[in-house]
Amino acid sequence: MRITRLAAALLPLMLSPAAFARDFVLTDTSAGIEQANWTTSSAKLGIKSATPFSITKTTLHGGRQEGSTLITIDTGNLKLQLIPTRGMGLYRASSGDVTLGWNSPVDEIVHPSFINLEQRGGLGWLDGFNELMVRCGYEWTGHPGTENGRLMSLHGRAQNIPASKVVVSVEEKAPYRITVKGLVKEKTFKFSDLETWAGVSVVPGEKTFRVHDELTNKSDYERDYQIIYHSNFGAPILEGGAHFSAAIEEISPFNDYAKKGLADWPTYLPATPGYDEMVFNIKPYADADGKTLAMLSNKAGDRGVAVGFNVQQLPVLTLWKNTDSVKQGYVTGIEPGTSYAYPRQIERAQGRIAKLAPGATQRFDLEYRILGSAADVRAAQSGIDAIQAGREVRLNETPMAKE
Amino acid sequence: MRITRLAAALLPLMLSPAAFARDFVLTDTSAGIEQANWTTSSAKLGIKSATPFSITKTTLHGGRQEGSTLITIDTGNLKLQLIPTRGMGLYRASSGDVTLGWNSPVDEIVHPSFINLEQRGGLGWLDGFNELMVRCGYEWTGHPGTENGRLMSLHGRAQNIPASKVVVSVEEKAPYRITVKGLVKEKTFKFSDLETWAGVSVVPGEKTFRVHDELTNKSDYERDYQIIYHSNFGAPILEGGAHFSAAIEEISPFNDYAKKGLADWPTYLPATPGYDEMVFNIKPYADADGKTLAMLSNKAGDRGVAVGFNVQQLPVLTLWKNTDSVKQGYVTGIEPGTSYAYPRQIERAQGRIAKLAPGATQRFDLEYRILGSAADVRAAQSGIDAIQAGREVRLNETPMAKE
Amino acid sequence: MRITRLAAALLPLMLSPAAFARDFVLTDTSAGIEQANWTTSSAKLGIKSATPFSITKTTLHGGRQEGSTLITIDTGNLKLQLIPTRGMGLYRASSGDVTLGWNSPVDEIVHPSFINLEQRGGLGWLDGFNELMVRCGYEWTGHPGTENGRLMSLHGRAQNIPASKVVVSVEEKAPYRITVKGLVKEKTFKFSDLETWAGVSVVPGEKTFRVHDELTNKSDYERDYQIIYHSNFGAPILEGGAHFSAAIEEISPFNDYAKKGLADWPTYLPATPGYDEMVFNIKPYADADGKTLAMLSNKAGDRGVAVGFNVQQLPVLTLWKNTDSVKQGYVTGIEPGTSYAYPRQIERAQGRIAKLAPGATQRFDLEYRILGSAADVRAAQSGIDAIQAGREVRLNETPMAKE
């Protein structure tokens, strides 16, 4: 039964953690709700905010987009788009003249019903990959590998599972924080019973958005999990001379090819035909609370993005430099995770498969800050420097594993 | 062209075998009909029955349910749900305080467009498995195997093929038998041209429902077929001390692990973490017409379900004891079939692959009786005893095959 | 956002090459347009043509057809149907008592979301195969093969990709040529960035339709491509004694089995249980412009179809004789291509993988002429004879490769 827009908008929602928030259920499999198109705004909600905002959901049509959904939060100084049908992935964010995201040859928002993850020996995920942020997990992540004769396809299943519930919440008091949460279920009889409440929040007036995810093992057994928050940035921040910065204890090349890039690993080439990708494995330093920060800044040092995360949740960081030609996809990934991008059997052998007890929940908190000025960039660098605290970065020239 | 509800409801249907029945076409690919939501009732049909009934079809939304359809027959003392988009599988049945079905970690009715049967080495079927009764067939069934370099994935394709035609029939005279039939096509150029009219009927006032399937080989060549009617029951009937009963000539463990369970194979443990599953292969006895009966009853012996079938159609019976933890899926399967659950190559070697001549049709008739009292349970046991006729059950301790 | 029928009908379209044409956008992923049902006609357009016509789009429902779309062009003396959701494949064409197409066991228009191309070791394409003309390409074609551990499934992906844009154009001046074009994207990050504008045109009053495709390599790298225009004809043209004719330099059997058919390769058997298929590889002769012609004609020589193509675009021709039983699929394929039907690694070794420079476009032009009389058949044969110019056909009894 499809509930009318009005009725659904009025539905109170029990699961919201934010008291005094108005909740709007846009999708709910248990109630048969899937609102194709929906919108609200500060005006419509009677909020007289200094930063008026709107939140809109649309359903896309045509080609391999048929049935994909897109939610856009627009606060004037920050516009953020996410894709409920693709595991709540973040599509684009923009503020002023800075856009986060990149241009993939995959130029549509592909619906999971058109994706076969096992295609090309487990690379079918690449048929839909074009987002700003992809959750690569949670049952497994990384390059394709085989365990017990079963193919673990590239970067897991979560990004190609449409959310079972989607809730938009707007806090009733200033600053009227907006949260969008979606429930992504990885369920396979005998194998997996993981549920992730994948959420993103925006405070109107800020240029920052925050990811708050809660992964729960609903099964009666301890279960492995892996996650990489594959966060991807292209132009205008990425350019020849752009710079990566983070608080780093150790860095090593992912493979022999990346050895060649170790000399100038923190800086970026312009779009370079034939470059393909170089990947570096980073062990970050963090502050006493586990918080750390990584940044991509442009050549002039006056635009950038800072990615904050917590090493107690996400202990390792993959730096993916894909400064290939523009049309091939000129992009870099800043990817906090529990694992590096090796196949699961390597991650297992090296002890980077995390465990979740029966019924246990693991949180993941990330912050993406758009840096719109030299001052913003300097402030982020100061934060990184404070964590680094003058300690040297250890360069390990030998890849830690061979695929 | 989508035909209006009214027009479709008026469409006479030629293919109904029941004379004097009113037919309602809910799906018909040849006419472009897919009625998203539909309902009728004895009142609406002007039937003054002592047992008023309703029949409802809904289309589900959100997550991996998007587009799934569900038909509910409710006669007051029996409620039966089936899933046209999942090969006409039976989802749940209930009468009084007895519910047939079980709780799988897969808690949504997954649409086949989200299923990749070849995932996990051919175990993708497990991504959608949560039904009371699944037709595992008909081109092949059983555990994944490879023939001629081609993977035969777990339990065949039928359950993940949406029905091409769906017809609801209500007989015009008392007792107003209700039949829902769906046409499930397994068609692959060069390989398969099987059509199954998968039907279920309910007589208002009874606590029994009957499955009447007709599998036709539409091709010009003799073709193999295999089928397992995977009928699954959890709480409240299944519990510690619940009992399985059937007329049995011989029973053997499916594999070495099940050997351990041979001593007390007819009784059930409570939910037992780490139990996984034990499977037993049963050769049933039958009466002179081939009819036989199996029963699951609760510990007190006052609730249960009896499954009747015909060994001329379904010569073997698999008993699947999956008394694992509750969240892992506490369930037992009573599974009449042409085959045991071994991969096709083993079933072939042991002569359990059935053949269907060009144009030939094979019927399969099953009866599911909900037992709501000790008297009901005793009556079913009497039926089983009459078939067993005092003959001993032969226990064969050696599995008949090794996967 | 779904645009209303009226608004979309009014949308001017920039990409149409035909000046003075009215364009109707039926699908456009970039604008969120997917018109479920649409129709126009010469009358509606105010065209007072001697050959009134209609163009209709419908969306199909039920079973594995759910969501498939079908466009029908009807000019009175030619009716042509194509399937936007299946890569713009041509479904059927008819004129008078001649129908082009064939009866496959696959009797529905299967939506790609139900197809797993990698099923049965890469034969999943056969689950949907029933068209008059299928584009087998463009990233790869041919029998399944493995390169770098990656399965290249049968006949590529294009036929199972729904078009991202679909435009109907009607020229504003006599003879009011009708064109339907669809954009089929084969996009995979790192691997493929091919776009094909797949078009077909009909001139009201003619019994001919023309395919005009433009394949563009949107990437920055040179890329391989392969294409086979798999054009399939059954009854009434195909029958015992039907005849194939073409301008041929050399013909050879595809494999050892086809050797047996070399003696009478140009004539057809009636439906022959157990025949399976014989395939022949043909190197055509062409005229000075590269144009060549192949024909299938019935036994009486008064009905047929002529297929024109250009060997500069499509240098080789596969003749697929599948004169098996009627229900198995009694059909022959006349298949101009860049490649024969061998797996890609064989085509590569023998030098038949074409290359497309970055940004380059390759056109493919084919003409299908329905022959409705003995005179029509004689005229087509004259055209073939003129190209053959009395040169002998070289029969090579040895298959050029072994799978």
Side-chain angles (χ1 to χ4, degrees), chain A residues 141-175:
Chain A
T141 196
H143 291 183
T146 299
E147 284 195 346
N148 303 319
R150 292 174 195 127
L151 177 61
M152 305 289 114
S153 62
L154 178 65
H155 285 331
R157 301 195 296 165
Q159 187 71 1
N160 285 283
I161 296 178
S164 290
K165 300 191 185 182
V166 178
V167 183
V168 172
S169 301
V170 180
E171 289 184 10
E172 293 201 326
K173 288 189 180 167

Side-chain angles (χ1 to χ4, degrees), chain A residues 56-82:
Chain A
T56 303
K57 178 186 171 191
T58 55
T59 297
L60 307 180
H61 295 285
R64 291 201 279 192
Q65 285 199 165
E66 188 64 37
S68 292
T69 59
L70 192 63
I71 291 178
T72 302
I73 302 168
D74 194 340
T75 65
N77 48 3
L78 179 69
K79 186 176 165 182
L80 177 65
Q81 293 185 298
L82 58 102

Side-chain angles (χ1 to χ4, degrees), chain C residues 356-369:
Chain C
L356 207 51
T361 294
Q362 172 64 48
R363 282 186 63 98
F364 304 99
D365 302 279
L366 296 96
E367 183 183 288
Y368 296 80
R369 202 189 315 161

Side-chain angles (χ1 to χ4, degrees), chain B residues 132-173:
Chain B
L132 158 58
M133 194 277 278
V134 178
R135 291 171 183 87
C136 302
Y138 288 87
E139 192 184 344
W140 69 84
T141 196
H143 291 184
T146 299
E147 284 194 347
N148 303 318
R150 293 175 193 125
L151 177 62
M152 306 288 113
S153 62
L154 177 65
H155 285 331
R157 301 194 296 163
Q159 187 69 2
N160 285 283
I161 297 178
S164 292
K165 300 191 186 181
V166 178
V167 183
V168 172
S169 301
V170 180
E171 288 185 12
E172 293 200 328
K173 289 190 179 166

Side-chain angles (χ1 to χ4, degrees), chain B residues 29 139 164 188 190 220-221, chain C residues 108 120 127 274 276 322 324-325:
Chain B
T29 53
E139 192 184 344
S164 292
T188 305
K190 296 270 184 199
D220 286 318
Y221 297 107
Chain C
E108 296 176 350
R120 299 186 200 263
D127 277 15
D276 196 8
N322 196 81
D324 204 300
S325 84

